[in-house]
Amino acid sequence: MAMAAHEYYQQTGDPQLASSFWPLLKLATYSQCADKSVSTTGLVDFDRCPRDSKLWPTTRDNIDWPMNSRDGYVNSNQSTEVNAFAVFSSRKLAALGRAIGKTAEAERLESQANTTADAMRKLLIDPSTGLFHDGLQGGAEKHSAWHSQTSTLWLGIAPLESKARMLEFLAQKRMVGSVYAAYSYLMGLYEVDSDHGKVALEMMTDCDENSWCHMLSV
């Protein structure tokens, strides 16, 4: 939601959405669930920070859809995907906060985003592969799904020293996600400067089952 509000502001110069919905946008970043008062790691931690479950008491994170498009992603309460979006959305909301005069809150959001990003690099990367695990516990710490690499590349979490190995992994996997995650995949690929967009262009022009070419043909 913060990302959408920031995009609206970028396109229009109108900060009204941020002004009108600031409290809701802050909650939607989940930065409060990574604060040191509730999280011991700096990660968004739903073990220690319950989600609002009044409407959806059994909901889990929709990593991709349908479920067979998730590359085996292991959901957990310290999820790589959730944390990546928390970092990026907090940074976007911080930019909006500065635009509407909420400087102190913006600085707190930016600081928390940096803390969470550092924690992700420290706790969620497998040193033997350079890839991000899906999370911190419950089996997620033993699995590195396609989605954990696309989101961390796209949203500015992946360290430079991991990018080449992440690109190699994604090039081998190809587009295993659905339309839902295709944008994240392409944007992540374009974040690896050494590749100059070669793999991304291949993914946009090939005719695998998961491709734009295949969609056009059917």
Side-chain angles (χ1 to χ4, degrees):
M1 291 174 68
M3 293 161 64
H6 182 266
E7 182 67 16
Y8 174 79
Y9 174 65
Q10 289 287 294
Q11 298 295 333
T12 66
D14 177 10
Q16 187 58 44
L17 278 178
S19 297
S20 298
F21 297 104
W22 181 261
L24 179 62
L25 291 171
K26 277 184 66 178
L27 286 173
T29 67
Y30 280 121
S31 61
Q32 70 277 7
C33 291
D35 186 83
K36 62 184 179 181
S37 65
V38 295
S39 174
T40 59
T41 61
L43 298 173
V44 173
D45 186 346
F46 291 131
D47 278 341
R48 295 173 174 270
C49 182
R51 314 179 205 210
D52 184 352
S53 59
K54 295 175 184 176
L55 293 178
W56 305 104
T58 60
T59 197
R60 291 293 303 186
D61 309 313
N62 186 10
I63 302 303
D64 208 339
W65 194 263
M67 291 179 69
N68 63 6
S69 298
R70 295 180 184 174
D71 193 35
Y73 190 99
V74 180
N75 265 315
S76 72
N77 282 336
Q78 298 94 27
S79 170
T80 295
E81 188 86 345
V82 169
N83 274 273
F85 275 92
V87 169
F88 195 70
S89 60
S90 293
R91 287 176 174 161
K92 294 301 182 184
L93 193 60
L96 285 173
R98 296 184 189 102
I100 62 174
K102 293 184 178 293
T103 306
E105 291 183 77
E107 292 305 314
R108 284 195 292 272
L109 283 162
E110 191 78 48
S111 177
Q112 184 60 64
N114 293 336
T115 296
T116 301
D118 288 343
M120 291 183 70
R121 298 182 192 110
K122 178 181 178 181
L123 300 173
L124 297 177
I125 295 179
D126 184 335
S128 66
T129 65
L131 301 177
F132 277 85
H133 290 308
D134 298 342
L136 198 58
Q137 44 99 330
E141 76 281 7
K142 300 176 182 178
H143 188 264
S144 296
W146 180 88
H147 302 73
S148 295
Q149 319 319 312
T150 61
S151 59
T152 49
L153 277 170
W154 168 35
L155 300 173
I157 315 298
L160 181 61
E161 60 270 21
S162 289
K163 287 187 174 182
R165 286 184 285 181
M166 293 170 75
L167 175 68
E168 182 180 5
F169 173 85
L170 293 173
Q172 290 174 349
K173 284 274 189 178
R174 302 179 76 81
M175 197 176 296
V176 298
S178 74
V179 173
Y180 182 87
Y183 180 78
S184 174
Y185 181 43
L186 289 178
M187 295 300 286
L189 292 175
Y190 278 118
E191 286 297 319
V192 186
D193 292 339
S194 61
D195 174 64
H196 304 294
K198 180 181 177 182
V199 175
L201 179 60
E202 181 183 348
M203 292 300 99
M204 286 190 286
T205 55
D206 86 349
C207 290
D208 289 353
E209 183 175 358
N210 282 18
S211 69
W212 285 273
C213 169
H214 178 72
M215 294 176 82
L216 288 168
S217 73
V218 296

